[in-house]
């Protein structure tokens, strides 16, 4: 099975749509919960740990987003040149595990 890129003429999301999507992701219950673990560090150390973690994590997500937007493919398809079709299943499974772990009821 092949997943074909979405032609630019058929894409309907713009920069503001993506901003709202990722702003909603950033303000989540898991984010607030994780901040509680940093409270013993004190305000400034915890603040800088959060900033550093967001810069590192969002850099990789942003780079992946650029590839997907440029070619009109989803993230798991964009890793196929590096890992192959079967190898791309590993990042997909790790992503699923991560998303389950973020779920508030877990």
């Amino acid at each position: 099975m092949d997943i074909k890129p979405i032609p630019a003429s058929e894409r309907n999301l713009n920069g503001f749509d993506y901003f709202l999507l990722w702003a909603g992701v950033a303000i989540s219950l898991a984010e607030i919960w994780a901040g509680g673990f940093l409270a013993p560090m004190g305000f400034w150390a915890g603040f800088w740990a959060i900033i550093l973690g967001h810069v590192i994590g969002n850099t990789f997500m942003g780079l992946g987003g650029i590839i997907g937007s440029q070619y009109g493919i989803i993230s798991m398809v964009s890793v196929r040149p590096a890992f192959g079709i079967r190898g791309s299943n590993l990042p997909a499974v790790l992503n699923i595990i991560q998303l389950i772990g973020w779920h508030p009821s877990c």
Side-chain angles (χ1 to χ4, degrees):
M1 178 178 5
D2 189 27
I3 299 175
K4 299 186 190 281
I6 300 170
S9 62
E10 293 182 24
R11 299 179 201 170
N12 56 9
L13 297 177
N14 60 33
F16 187 67
D17 294 323
Y18 287 115
F19 170 78
L20 291 176
L21 171 71
W22 290 108
V25 171
I27 305 168
S28 68
L29 182 60
E31 189 79 18
I32 297 166
W33 177 74
F37 284 113
L38 299 176
M41 295 174 69
F43 178 78
W44 288 110
F47 174 80
W48 288 113
I50 291 169
I51 296 299
L52 180 62
H54 276 78
V55 167
I56 292 169
N58 288 321
T59 297
F60 291 110
M61 291 186 69
L63 292 173
I66 290 171
I67 294 168
S69 294
Q70 191 172 35
Y71 295 104
I73 56 177
I74 60 174
S75 300
M76 294 303 116
V77 173
S78 70
V79 298
R80 285 182 179 176
F83 296 110
I85 291 177
R86 284 189 160 179
S88 67
N89 290 330
L90 176 63
V93 169
L94 293 175
N95 190 24
I96 291 168
I97 292 169
Q98 176 189 21
L99 293 172
I100 291 170
W102 277 358
H103 194 274
S105 65
C106 290

Short mmCIF file of all heavy atoms in Angstrom, two decimals, residues 37-67:
data_model
loop_
_atom_site.label_atom_id
_atom_site.label_comp_id
_atom_site.label_asym_id
_atom_site.label_seq_id
_atom_site.Cartn_x
_atom_site.Cartn_y
_atom_site.Cartn_z
N PHE A 37 6.03 18.10 38.89
CA PHE A 37 7.25 17.36 39.25
C PHE A 37 8.46 18.28 39.35
O PHE A 37 9.44 17.96 40.01
CB PHE A 37 7.54 16.26 38.23
CG PHE A 37 6.66 15.07 38.38
CD1 PHE A 37 5.75 14.75 37.40
CD2 PHE A 37 6.73 14.26 39.51
CE1 PHE A 37 4.92 13.65 37.53
CE2 PHE A 37 5.91 13.17 39.65
CZ PHE A 37 5.00 12.86 38.66
N LEU A 38 8.41 19.42 38.67
CA LEU A 38 9.53 20.34 38.68
C LEU A 38 9.47 21.33 39.84
O LEU A 38 10.41 22.07 40.07
CB LEU A 38 9.59 21.11 37.35
CG LEU A 38 9.77 20.24 36.10
CD1 LEU A 38 9.70 21.10 34.85
CD2 LEU A 38 11.07 19.47 36.16
N ALA A 39 8.37 21.36 40.57
CA ALA A 39 8.19 22.33 41.66
C ALA A 39 9.31 22.26 42.69
O ALA A 39 9.78 23.32 43.16
CB ALA A 39 6.84 22.13 42.32
N PRO A 40 9.81 21.08 43.08
CA PRO A 40 10.90 21.05 44.06
C PRO A 40 12.19 21.71 43.58
O PRO A 40 13.06 22.05 44.39
CB PRO A 40 11.13 19.55 44.30
CG PRO A 40 9.85 18.89 43.94
CD PRO A 40 9.29 19.73 42.82
N MET A 41 12.34 21.91 42.28
CA MET A 41 13.54 22.55 41.75
C MET A 41 13.56 24.05 42.05
O MET A 41 14.60 24.68 41.95
CB MET A 41 13.62 22.36 40.23
CG MET A 41 13.78 20.94 39.78
SD MET A 41 13.70 20.79 37.98
CE MET A 41 15.20 21.60 37.48
N GLY A 42 12.44 24.61 42.39
CA GLY A 42 12.33 26.05 42.55
C GLY A 42 11.85 26.67 41.25
O GLY A 42 11.85 26.03 40.19
N PHE A 43 11.42 27.91 41.34
CA PHE A 43 10.80 28.55 40.18
C PHE A 43 11.74 28.68 39.00
O PHE A 43 11.44 28.25 37.89
CB PHE A 43 10.25 29.94 40.56
CG PHE A 43 9.65 30.66 39.39
CD1 PHE A 43 8.38 30.33 38.94
CD2 PHE A 43 10.36 31.64 38.70
CE1 PHE A 43 7.82 30.97 37.84
CE2 PHE A 43 9.81 32.28 37.61
CZ PHE A 43 8.54 31.95 37.19
N TRP A 44 12.91 29.30 39.19
CA TRP A 44 13.79 29.59 38.07
C TRP A 44 14.40 28.34 37.46
O TRP A 44 14.48 28.21 36.23
CB TRP A 44 14.86 30.60 38.45
CG TRP A 44 14.23 31.97 38.60
CD1 TRP A 44 14.04 32.65 39.77
CD2 TRP A 44 13.66 32.76 37.57
NE1 TRP A 44 13.40 33.84 39.51
CE2 TRP A 44 13.16 33.94 38.16
CE3 TRP A 44 13.53 32.61 36.20
CZ2 TRP A 44 12.54 34.95 37.43
CZ3 TRP A 44 12.91 33.61 35.47
CH2 TRP A 44 12.43 34.76 36.08
N ALA A 45 14.85 27.40 38.26
CA ALA A 45 15.41 26.16 37.72
C ALA A 45 14.33 25.38 36.96
O ALA A 45 14.58 24.85 35.88
CB ALA A 45 16.02 25.31 38.82
N GLY A 46 13.13 25.32 37.52
CA GLY A 46 12.03 24.65 36.85
C GLY A 46 11.63 25.35 35.56
O GLY A 46 11.37 24.71 34.55
N PHE A 47 11.60 26.68 35.61
CA PHE A 47 11.28 27.48 34.43
C PHE A 47 12.25 27.19 33.29
O PHE A 47 11.84 26.94 32.16
CB PHE A 47 11.30 28.97 34.80
CG PHE A 47 11.10 29.90 33.63
CD1 PHE A 47 9.84 30.14 33.13
CD2 PHE A 47 12.19 30.53 33.05
CE1 PHE A 47 9.65 31.00 32.06
CE2 PHE A 47 12.02 31.38 31.99
CZ PHE A 47 10.75 31.62 31.48
N TRP A 48 13.55 27.21 33.59
CA TRP A 48 14.55 26.98 32.56
C TRP A 48 14.55 25.52 32.09
O TRP A 48 14.81 25.25 30.91
CB TRP A 48 15.94 27.42 33.01
CG TRP A 48 16.01 28.92 33.05
CD1 TRP A 48 16.15 29.70 34.16
CD2 TRP A 48 15.90 29.80 31.94
NE1 TRP A 48 16.12 31.03 33.80
CE2 TRP A 48 15.98 31.12 32.44
CE3 TRP A 48 15.73 29.63 30.58
CZ2 TRP A 48 15.90 32.23 31.62
CZ3 TRP A 48 15.66 30.75 29.76
CH2 TRP A 48 15.75 32.03 30.29
N ALA A 49 14.22 24.59 32.95
CA ALA A 49 14.10 23.19 32.53
C ALA A 49 12.94 23.03 31.54
O ALA A 49 13.06 22.32 30.53
CB ALA A 49 13.89 22.27 33.74
N ILE A 50 11.84 23.71 31.80
CA ILE A 50 10.69 23.67 30.89
C ILE A 50 11.05 24.31 29.55
O ILE A 50 10.76 23.75 28.48
CB ILE A 50 9.46 24.36 31.52
CG1 ILE A 50 8.94 23.53 32.68
CG2 ILE A 50 8.37 24.62 30.48
CD1 ILE A 50 7.90 24.23 33.53
N ILE A 51 11.68 25.47 29.59
CA ILE A 51 12.07 26.16 28.35
C ILE A 51 13.03 25.30 27.54
O ILE A 51 12.84 25.11 26.33
CB ILE A 51 12.70 27.54 28.66
CG1 ILE A 51 11.68 28.47 29.33
CG2 ILE A 51 13.30 28.17 27.41
CD1 ILE A 51 10.46 28.77 28.47
N LEU A 52 14.05 24.75 28.17
CA LEU A 52 15.03 23.92 27.47
C LEU A 52 14.37 22.67 26.87
O LEU A 52 14.62 22.33 25.71
CB LEU A 52 16.16 23.51 28.42
CG LEU A 52 17.26 22.65 27.80
CD1 LEU A 52 17.98 23.39 26.68
CD2 LEU A 52 18.24 22.22 28.87
N GLY A 53 13.51 22.03 27.64
CA GLY A 53 12.81 20.85 27.14
C GLY A 53 11.93 21.17 25.95
O GLY A 53 11.87 20.40 24.98
N HIS A 54 11.25 22.30 26.00
CA HIS A 54 10.39 22.69 24.87
C HIS A 54 11.22 23.04 23.64
O HIS A 54 10.84 22.68 22.52
CB HIS A 54 9.51 23.88 25.26
CG HIS A 54 8.28 23.49 25.97
ND1 HIS A 54 8.27 23.15 27.30
CD2 HIS A 54 7.01 23.37 25.55
CE1 HIS A 54 7.05 22.85 27.67
NE2 HIS A 54 6.26 22.96 26.62
N VAL A 55 12.33 23.72 23.82
CA VAL A 55 13.18 24.08 22.67
C VAL A 55 13.71 22.81 22.00
O VAL A 55 13.64 22.67 20.77
CB VAL A 55 14.34 25.00 23.10
CG1 VAL A 55 15.38 25.12 22.01
CG2 VAL A 55 13.80 26.38 23.48
N ILE A 56 14.21 21.88 22.78
CA ILE A 56 14.75 20.63 22.22
C ILE A 56 13.64 19.83 21.54
O ILE A 56 13.76 19.44 20.38
CB ILE A 56 15.44 19.79 23.30
CG1 ILE A 56 16.71 20.50 23.78
CG2 ILE A 56 15.78 18.39 22.78
CD1 ILE A 56 17.34 19.89 25.02
N GLY A 57 12.56 19.58 22.26
CA GLY A 57 11.48 18.77 21.71
C GLY A 57 10.80 19.39 20.51
O GLY A 57 10.53 18.72 19.51
N ASN A 58 10.54 20.68 20.57
CA ASN A 58 9.83 21.34 19.48
C ASN A 58 10.71 21.56 18.25
O ASN A 58 10.19 21.69 17.14
CB ASN A 58 9.22 22.66 19.94
CG ASN A 58 8.04 22.42 20.85
OD1 ASN A 58 7.26 21.51 20.61
ND2 ASN A 58 7.91 23.22 21.89
N THR A 59 12.03 21.58 18.44
CA THR A 59 12.92 21.69 17.28
C THR A 59 12.73 20.48 16.38
O THR A 59 12.56 20.61 15.16
CB THR A 59 14.38 21.81 17.72
OG1 THR A 59 14.53 23.02 18.46
CG2 THR A 59 15.32 21.82 16.53
N PHE A 60 12.76 19.28 16.97
CA PHE A 60 12.59 18.07 16.17
C PHE A 60 11.18 17.98 15.58
O PHE A 60 11.01 17.58 14.42
CB PHE A 60 12.90 16.83 17.00
CG PHE A 60 14.36 16.72 17.34
CD1 PHE A 60 14.80 16.91 18.64
CD2 PHE A 60 15.29 16.47 16.35
CE1 PHE A 60 16.14 16.83 18.95
CE2 PHE A 60 16.64 16.39 16.64
CZ PHE A 60 17.07 16.57 17.95
N MET A 61 10.18 18.35 16.35
CA MET A 61 8.81 18.32 15.82
C MET A 61 8.65 19.32 14.68
O MET A 61 7.99 19.03 13.68
CB MET A 61 7.80 18.60 16.93
CG MET A 61 7.73 17.48 17.94
SD MET A 61 6.44 17.72 19.15
CE MET A 61 5.02 17.52 18.15
N GLY A 62 9.24 20.49 14.83
CA GLY A 62 9.15 21.51 13.79
C GLY A 62 9.85 21.08 12.51
O GLY A 62 9.33 21.29 11.40
N LEU A 63 11.02 20.45 12.64
CA LEU A 63 11.73 19.97 11.45
C LEU A 63 10.92 18.90 10.74
O LEU A 63 10.85 18.88 9.50
CB LEU A 63 13.11 19.45 11.84
CG LEU A 63 14.10 20.51 12.32
CD1 LEU A 63 15.37 19.85 12.84
CD2 LEU A 63 14.42 21.50 11.22
N GLY A 64 10.32 18.01 11.51
CA GLY A 64 9.45 16.99 10.91
C GLY A 64 8.24 17.61 10.24
O GLY A 64 7.79 17.16 9.19
N GLY A 65 7.71 18.66 10.84
CA GLY A 65 6.56 19.36 10.26
C GLY A 65 6.90 20.05 8.95
O GLY A 65 6.08 20.10 8.04
N ILE A 66 8.12 20.57 8.87
CA ILE A 66 8.54 21.22 7.62
C ILE A 66 8.58 20.20 6.49
O ILE A 66 8.10 20.46 5.40
CB ILE A 66 9.92 21.89 7.80
CG1 ILE A 66 9.80 23.11 8.71
CG2 ILE A 66 10.51 22.28 6.45
CD1 ILE A 66 11.11 23.71 9.13
N ILE A 67 9.15 19.02 6.78
CA ILE A 67 9.22 17.97 5.76
C ILE A 67 7.81 17.58 5.31
O ILE A 67 7.54 17.50 4.12
CB ILE A 67 9.98 16.75 6.30
CG1 ILE A 67 11.45 17.09 6.55
CG2 ILE A 67 9.87 15.57 5.34
CD1 ILE A 67 12.20 16.04 7.33
#
